[in-house]
Amino acid sequence: GSWNLVNVKFHTGASIAKWAVLVIFDGHTAPSNKDVSKRRLSEIGNGIHKPAPDYYQNIPTAMTVQDRDWLEGIKEIKQTIQNFRRGNLTFILALLSFRDMRLYPSVKCICDVEFRIHSVTIVLNKVLKNKGLQQYYANVTLKLNQKLRGINHTLDAGSTHWLTMKSMMLVGMDVTHPEPASKAGTPSIAAVIATIDKTFVQCHASLRCQKSKQEMIDNLMEMMLQQLRAYKKMSGSLLKRVIVYRDGVSEVRQ
């Protein structure tokens, strides 16, 4: 089966003031000028959100990374995003010329971690095809709306009455371990994610590196305190109940 999201509306749409499109070429065959023209980018942008994006310097600069030192290319991308940031953008739509396992995390780190700008990253050929675009845009905007604190859908009020009788937080915890072929000493990553609103839609996540292949979470108290503070900030009240879902630990070790 598959989701059919064409002409389906969000429960609550997020508010977008300004946004931009960033096109990044990294040494592979670049799209034609027609593909990345201002008109074409506006068409792509309108598929994600209307009105069209706010462009800086007309069309975002296309950058070649492979033709020179990689770090210099990343610096150029970072500078361009920093210029966008001065315009108080809500988010950036980054279009990559192809799927790249180095470029993608670099762009996400610059946007999300360094500059705290929401970003959506798409491989350019996904939005240059002529069929199925509405469905594709709908899938992308599901992720974007959630990031911008919109509400995609809610649970049926009658079926979840017991959840809302008292203020409650749902928490998920897990630890992911390095693959067998990973370098010796590669850390495991512990994660805690929790709902922080009364509709159980918005979540707050905490991540910590810890000893390799250790299943028990070292900094659990610190991460749980982060979730509790985030809930209070978001909802304006303290909790009455917390339900925890913990994967991967036997009953003896809990």
Side-chain angles (χ1 to χ4, degrees):
S2 61
W3 292 99
N4 184 0
L5 300 173
V6 177
N7 298 321
V8 175
K9 293 184 178 181
F10 295 129
H11 180 276
T12 305
S15 176
I16 297 176
K18 292 183 179 180
W19 63 295
V21 175
L22 174 64
V23 183
I24 304 174
F25 305 142
D26 48 6
H28 286 240
T29 303
S32 66
N33 290 334
K34 179 181 178 181
D35 288 336
V36 294
S37 67
K38 184 172 183 178
R39 178 178 178 181
R40 182 56 175 149
L41 289 177
S42 294
E43 291 173 358
I44 294 170
N46 281 329
I48 305 298
H49 176 71
K50 294 181 181 180
D54 300 89
Y55 292 97
Y56 291 80
Q57 301 174 355
N58 296 319
I59 299 177
T61 306
M63 289 158 288
T64 302
V65 175
Q66 187 171 313
D67 294 341
R68 53 181 177 273
D69 183 76
W70 172 256
L71 292 179
E72 289 301 316
I74 294 299
K75 287 180 181 178
E76 187 172 349
I77 293 170
K78 182 176 179 179
Q79 182 60 54
T80 302
I81 294 174
Q82 188 171 23
N83 292 339
F84 284 172
R85 182 171 178 246
R86 297 185 182 121
N88 296 318
L89 297 180
T90 304
F91 83 99
I92 292 174
L93 173 63
L95 302 176
L96 308 184
S97 58
F98 81 116
R99 188 180 298 276
D100 188 295
M101 296 307 294
R102 294 187 302 169
L103 185 58
Y104 171 81
S106 297
V107 172
K108 297 299 288 186
C109 183
I110 292 169
C111 290
D112 298 348
V113 179
E114 295 191 43
F115 295 141
R116 295 182 178 274
I117 301 175
H118 291 295
S119 63
V120 175
T121 306
I122 298 174
V123 179
L124 192 55
N125 61 18
K126 293 282 188 180
V127 293
L128 294 180
K129 58 185 181 180
N130 295 320
K131 294 183 179 181
L133 278 180
Q134 276 192 310
Q135 183 69 34
Y136 183 76
Y137 289 147
N139 286 323
V140 172
T141 52
L142 273 175
K143 300 175 183 178
L144 178 61
N145 193 57
Q146 188 77 8
K147 288 183 179 183
L148 300 180
R149 295 192 174 181
I151 300 176
N152 292 347
H153 59 270
T154 58
L155 300 174
D156 177 67
S159 302
T160 57
H161 176 66
W162 66 277
L163 281 173
T164 57
M165 291 176 63
K166 295 183 179 180
S167 56
M168 180 184 293
M169 172 188 283
L170 302 179
V171 182
M173 304 176 183
D174 200 4
V175 180
T176 183
H177 303 292
E179 296 292 331
S182 300
K183 185 177 179 180
T186 299
S188 293
I189 300 176
V192 175
I193 185 168
T195 58
I196 58 173
D197 67 344
K198 297 176 181 179
T199 60
F200 306 101
V201 172
Q202 293 299 322
C203 298
H204 184 273
S206 297
L207 300 173
R208 296 290 187 279
C209 291
Q210 62 181 40
K211 184 179 178 181
S212 184
K213 300 181 180 179
Q214 175 180 303
E215 187 62 37
M216 301 301 288
I217 300 177
D218 281 339
N219 298 303
L220 182 56
M221 180 179 291
E222 178 187 349
M223 287 193 282
M224 276 303 302
L225 286 173
Q226 284 186 334
Q227 312 311 318
L228 295 173
R229 294 188 189 106
Y231 183 93
K232 184 178 180 182
K233 181 178 180 180
M234 181 77 172
S235 302
S237 62
L238 297 175
L239 286 162
K240 298 294 184 181
R241 295 173 176 172
V242 176
I243 296 179
V244 176
Y245 294 89
R246 175 68 167 99
D247 183 39
V249 178
S250 65
E251 292 183 4
V252 176
R253 298 171 65 187
Q254 289 183 9

